[in-house]
Amino acid sequence: MHKIYLDHAATTPLSEEALTAMLPYLKGVYGNPSSLHIWGREAKQALEMAREKVARALGASPEEIYFTSGGTEAINIAIQGLARNFSSGERRHIITSAIEHHAVLDTIGYLGRNGFEVTILPVDQFGMVDPEELATQITEKTLLVSIMTANNEIGTIQPIEEIGRICRERGVYFHTDAVQAIGNMEINLKKQPIDLLSLSAHKFYGPKGVGALYVRKNVGVEQIVFGGAQEKKMRPGTENLPGIVGLGRAIELATTDLEEKIRSLKKIRDHLIAGLLQIDEVRLNGHPEKRLPGNVNVSVLHVEGESLLLSLDLKGIAVSSGSACTASSLEPSYVLLATGLDNYTAQGSLRLSLGHGNTKEDLDYTVNAIKDIALKLRAMSPVILK
Ligand SMILES: *Cc1c(COP(=O)(O)O)cnc(C)c1O
């Protein structure tokens, strides 16, 4: 069976180049970067080279980069670490948006139950945060604003430069979850007023279980994990050197010829969107233009996304649905609901996230498959058509 992977927002395959870079560190070079002998020094050198690659890709300096075990951990260290540093002061207000990843929402939710005041900004029908509304919510108590660079479900790209500028003017720290953004849009911390940024290797063809946190110089993040002195105590524990080397190589590749990659991805994305919109009662979710080059999210009305997903799986096509089957009930995506979709429409949604290796032919095949399945499911549907 011909297999088509359209779930790159969930994870990407490890690139051949990243694997090749990692192999020596899984086989011959096994020293601990903290050791003083030649084995250790060799490992340490690889660690610092990877740090330089990440810094270069982001327009940061190597001292501002901390390796973590992934996006979730980077986000936790950024938000909890900043909160801990300010926990005795007056600045105990955090602002975020309704469509953040759970790593952000749950971390901030935890702080909200532990003495912090939390403001969750709504988004518009396209999933956009309004910077002016954000500005009105900032008070002298506000410590941190955390708004994602781009959304993992609907692909909407937020006005992070404007948000960052507002935060800077008002003396508020700005963290962005850039996990979906790396390799899909330009990030340049020399120009973008961002104080803290989280990223994860497995979303841009690097290995799983490794990520990085950028902390701008002089931003005080206190440690939340205790142990050794690795990563300047920000993330103690022996480093995942093969993973970190893979991350370094992957981010280098992800940010090379970026414009060209974005252009070609957008081209097949728009081809897919056009094809899907030809099907009866299909609507596009997210922003029509300000969206990730590989993201397509549609609602196929009168169909359950989960059923559609499983039928596509039988045909060898991997996608993601906007609902998660939890304890025998279908929970529609909170992201889609936040954009104003009703439960019924949100439940019929499907995310197709494109990446390396997807061809126009694959996408045409996918459109036809969705069309066939939707017709069959709608014919069987007990739901009264609206
Ligand atoms: C995948 C993802 C994360 C979590 O990253 P992990 O490395 O899997 O922990 C956080 N935020 C967004 C937007 C993501 O897509």
Side-chain angles (χ1 to χ4, degrees):
M1 186 169 55
H2 184 49
K3 284 189 170 174
I4 303 173
Y5 184 77
L6 302 175
D7 205 12
H8 293 84
T11 195
T12 53
L14 181 65
S15 73
E16 206 55 54
E17 291 94 333
L19 173 66
T20 303
M22 290 168 75
L23 281 177
Y25 301 91
L26 288 161
K27 282 174 146 181
V29 188
Y30 57 82
N32 186 323
S34 299
S35 299
L36 297 178
H37 46 63
I38 180 74
W39 279 263
R41 293 202 305 274
E42 198 178 3
K44 175 83 176 165
Q45 199 183 2
L47 178 67
E48 296 314 320
M49 273 198 17
R51 200 185 309 281
E52 275 170 34
K53 285 186 203 289
V54 175
R56 202 175 309 133
L58 299 177
S61 75
E63 307 84 68
E64 296 171 312
I65 306 299
Y66 300 86
F67 291 113
T68 68
S69 71
T72 301
E73 193 183 48
I75 289 164
N76 270 268
I77 294 172
I79 297 173
Q80 288 194 57
L82 196 65
R84 181 165 292 182
N85 194 22
F86 286 86
S87 60
S88 58
E90 285 292 298
R91 293 174 67 186
R92 295 168 73 78
H93 175 224
I94 299 175
I95 301 174
T96 189
S97 85
I99 63 165
E100 300 295 308
H101 189 274
H102 276 299
V104 169
L105 285 178
D106 292 1
T107 303
I108 292 176
Y110 164 77
L111 292 171
R113 293 188 300 278
N114 287 277
F116 280 80
E117 191 193 324
V118 175
T119 300
I120 297 178
L121 293 172
V123 292
D124 69 9
Q125 59 177 317
F126 304 119
M128 292 286 257
V129 168
D130 178 1
E132 283 176 26
E133 186 171 0
L134 184 143
T136 66
Q137 296 294 330
I138 296 177
T139 70
E140 69 278 6
K141 285 199 175 146
T142 309
L143 171 65
L144 169 70
V145 169
S146 185
I147 302 289
M148 67 202 319
T149 314
N151 184 268
N152 45 303
E153 285 190 38
I154 54 177
T156 303
I157 295 172
Q158 301 296 342
I160 53 160
E161 295 203 28
E162 201 179 339
I163 292 171
R165 259 198 311 278
I166 293 167
C167 290
R168 192 146 293 177
E169 276 167 21
R170 307 285 294 272
V172 174
Y173 294 114
F174 176 44
H175 166 256
T176 191
D177 169 356
V179 172
Q180 291 288 335
I182 307 298
N184 284 316
M185 53 185 281
E186 206 201 321
I187 298 290
N188 184 349
L189 296 167
K190 285 200 185 83
K191 290 189 293 190
Q192 292 159 330
I194 295 166
D195 299 308
L196 305 127
L197 176 145
S198 299
L199 60 87
S200 177
H202 77 103
K203 301 289 174 79
F204 51 87
Y205 308 93
K208 293 169 181 53
V210 61
L213 172 64
Y214 158 83
V215 182
R216 193 178 285 276
K217 262 184 212 97
N218 302 322
V219 173
V221 174
E222 209 170 290
Q223 71 186 116
I224 61 163
V225 183
F226 297 85
Q230 293 92 345
E231 299 301 296
K232 294 186 269 180
K233 292 192 176 175
M234 196 83 98
R235 203 288 184 176
T238 302
E239 302 86 347
N240 169 9
L241 192 59
I244 288 168
V245 169
L247 163 58
R249 183 71 182 121
I251 202 165
E252 191 174 42
L253 292 166
T255 50
T256 304
D257 299 326
L258 184 57
E259 271 179 42
E260 176 50 35
K261 273 183 277 193
I262 291 173
R263 205 168 325 131
S264 62
L265 211 48
K266 266 187 180 166
K267 213 162 129 187
I268 60 168
R269 177 200 68 187
D270 292 341
H271 179 73
L272 175 61
I273 291 176
L276 289 170
L277 292 180
Q278 295 279 308
I279 304 172
D280 276 348
E281 299 207 76
V282 168
R283 53 158 292 179
L284 182 69
N285 298 316
H287 199 282
E289 285 114 37
K290 289 174 186 147
R291 73 186 303 136
L292 290 170
N295 175 283
V296 177
N297 188 308
V298 288
S299 287
V300 182
L301 288 183
H302 321 304
V303 169
E304 269 175 5
E306 202 93 330
S307 311
L308 198 45
L309 179 155
L310 296 174
S311 303
L312 286 167
D313 183 41
L314 292 176
K315 290 181 185 267
I317 303 170
V319 302
S320 162
S321 76
S323 53
C325 204
T326 49
S328 78
S329 76
L330 278 176
E331 286 285 326
S333 144
Y334 66 94
V335 173
L336 291 174
L337 295 183
T339 66
L341 249 61
D342 55 71
N343 279 10
Y344 184 77
T345 308
Q347 267 167 354
S349 73
L350 218 53
R351 178 187 72 186
L352 307 95
S353 43
L354 318 184
H356 297 174
N358 290 144
T359 63
K360 243 178 166 170
E361 291 69 38
D362 288 347
L363 301 179
D364 289 337
Y365 180 80
T366 302
V367 169
N368 282 325
I370 292 175
K371 193 172 177 178
D372 289 349
I373 297 164
L375 277 176
K376 285 199 188 99
L377 290 174
R378 280 171 181 168
M380 296 189 313
S381 174
V383 176
I384 315 284
L385 298 192
K386 283 186 181 175

